[in-house]
Amino acid sequence: MSGLVEWYNNIMYNKNDPRTEDWFLVSAPGPLAIILVSYIYFCTSAGPRYMKNRKPYELRNVLIVYNFAQVLLSIYLFYEGLMSGWLFDYSYTCQPVDYSDNPQALRMARAAHLYFLCKLVELLDTVFFVLRKKNRQISTLHVYHHSLMPFCGWIGVRFLPNGHVTLLGLINSFVHVIMYTYYLLSSVGPSMSKYLWWKKYLTSLQLIQFCIIFVHSLQVFFNGCNLPKVMMMILLANTGIFIYMFGSFYVENYIKNQRASEKGVEERAKNVGNNVAKNKTE
């Protein structure tokens, strides 16, 4: 046990970035763990029980404001990620972490911290599903994704607040600009339905981003890049899980459903043809 405690203290207080250790919710994993456990408990147990005999909340105006704010935050984070390194200075093959007080390095670190806090705010996505009794939306993929991303963001801010791994935040922020734009239009009401035909492409975009991050992270094991390999292995493992889960979701909800729909159309057409032929013979 003492060895385990020593290992934990070594990781937490000797391997971390001293510049970010006192930032909001970064100093220790305890507050984040409490938030995530509370989130999972509410969304999978307490929330549905509370709403069981209640009418769903509409929350239309709340959702419009929330989604609009998320679009603006995502645009800002994408811009900061580009201007802090990825547009001009960062290498896409190997970008070690800069632990100095370089203004550019600190700018990326602050962007990473804001990204982490945004992942916590995004837990409200599921809370709104619960309050609107959209329980079908609260899938294992949804809860796992929303639970893990804040944890990954916390690891990034505490240990790797700039450099190679921040490409995930850059691409994810771009995806969220599109995703929350879709949610914003959807929250306006049924009048926007005709403009929302591209829903399935959001899942494709999510899948593509994780494939890019997987390849981007994998290359550091072969090019001698000076990055902590344990952290990169954790990132690779989680990215692989996301690829599998988003891929399974896409196949189940779009490919199989489309095939089932096409099969149903064929069977109805066949039945109509049989009925016509039967009427003619009679």
Side-chain angles (χ1 to χ4, degrees), residues 31-277:
L32 176 61
I34 292 173
I35 292 172
L36 294 180
V37 169
S38 300
Y39 160 77
I40 294 172
Y41 175 68
F42 175 81
C43 294
T44 60
S45 180
R49 284 191 284 110
Y50 170 78
M51 293 299 300
K52 184 176 182 181
N53 298 315
R54 289 176 169 81
K55 292 182 179 180
Y57 294 92
E58 184 178 345
L59 301 178
R60 179 180 177 183
N61 292 333
V62 173
L63 288 171
I64 290 174
V65 173
Y66 171 76
N67 290 320
F68 182 67
Q70 288 286 13
V71 171
L72 294 182
L73 281 169
S74 298
I75 290 173
Y76 176 74
L77 284 170
F78 181 66
Y79 171 79
E80 282 296 289
L82 289 175
M83 301 309 295
S84 298
W86 287 110
L87 184 59
F88 299 113
D89 303 306
Y90 274 19
S91 167
Y92 285 87
T93 56
C94 175
Q95 185 62 44
V97 181
D98 183 353
Y99 293 104
S100 73
D101 291 328
N102 182 306
Q104 185 184 40
L106 290 172
R107 182 178 182 179
M108 182 67 86
R110 288 191 291 268
H113 186 231
L114 179 59
Y115 176 82
F116 159 62
L117 296 179
C118 285
K119 297 302 111 178
L120 292 177
V121 175
E122 287 168 19
L123 299 179
L124 289 173
D125 289 4
T126 323
V127 174
F128 293 145
F129 283 148
V130 172
L131 297 179
R132 296 165 65 212
K133 300 185 81 168
K134 301 284 186 179
N135 294 331
R136 286 188 59 199
Q137 306 282 1
I138 309 173
S139 62
T140 302
L141 169 60
H142 178 90
V143 175
Y144 179 81
H145 176 67
H146 278 70
S147 300
L148 191 64
M149 290 305 290
F151 181 66
C152 291
W154 183 86
I155 291 177
V157 178
R158 186 163 179 85
F159 299 100
L160 310 165
N162 58 59
H164 203 81
V165 298
T166 58
L167 184 66
L168 170 59
L170 178 76
I171 297 176
N172 189 244
S173 296
F174 172 76
V175 171
H176 278 208
V177 172
I178 300 173
M179 185 181 78
Y180 281 106
T181 298
Y182 175 89
Y183 291 157
L184 175 61
L185 295 175
S186 178
S187 62
V188 171
S191 60
M192 302 301 295
S193 298
K194 59 184 176 182
Y195 303 111
L196 302 177
W197 50 267
W198 43 282
K199 179 180 180 181
K200 73 174 184 178
Y201 297 108
L202 287 176
T203 305
S204 301
L205 203 57
Q206 292 272 30
L207 190 56
I208 290 170
Q209 76 166 329
F210 288 117
C211 289
I212 292 173
I213 296 303
F214 187 87
V215 174
H216 183 250
S217 302
L218 183 63
Q219 65 179 325
V220 304
F221 291 92
F222 304 98
N223 61 13
C225 189
N226 183 25
L227 283 165
K229 297 302 187 288
V230 173
M231 293 291 185
M232 299 307 298
M233 288 179 66
I234 293 173
L235 177 60
L236 268 179
N238 287 326
T239 304
I241 292 173
F242 279 135
I243 291 173
Y244 171 76
M245 296 184 77
F246 274 99
S248 299
F249 178 85
Y250 186 88
V251 170
E252 193 68 30
N253 287 272
Y254 297 113
I255 295 179
K256 287 186 178 180
N257 283 351
Q258 182 178 356
R259 289 176 180 173
S261 178
E262 292 174 351
K263 185 177 180 181
V265 170
E266 291 176 358
E267 289 180 351
R268 286 194 294 272
K270 184 178 180 181
N271 290 335
V272 170
N274 291 337
N275 291 334
V276 170

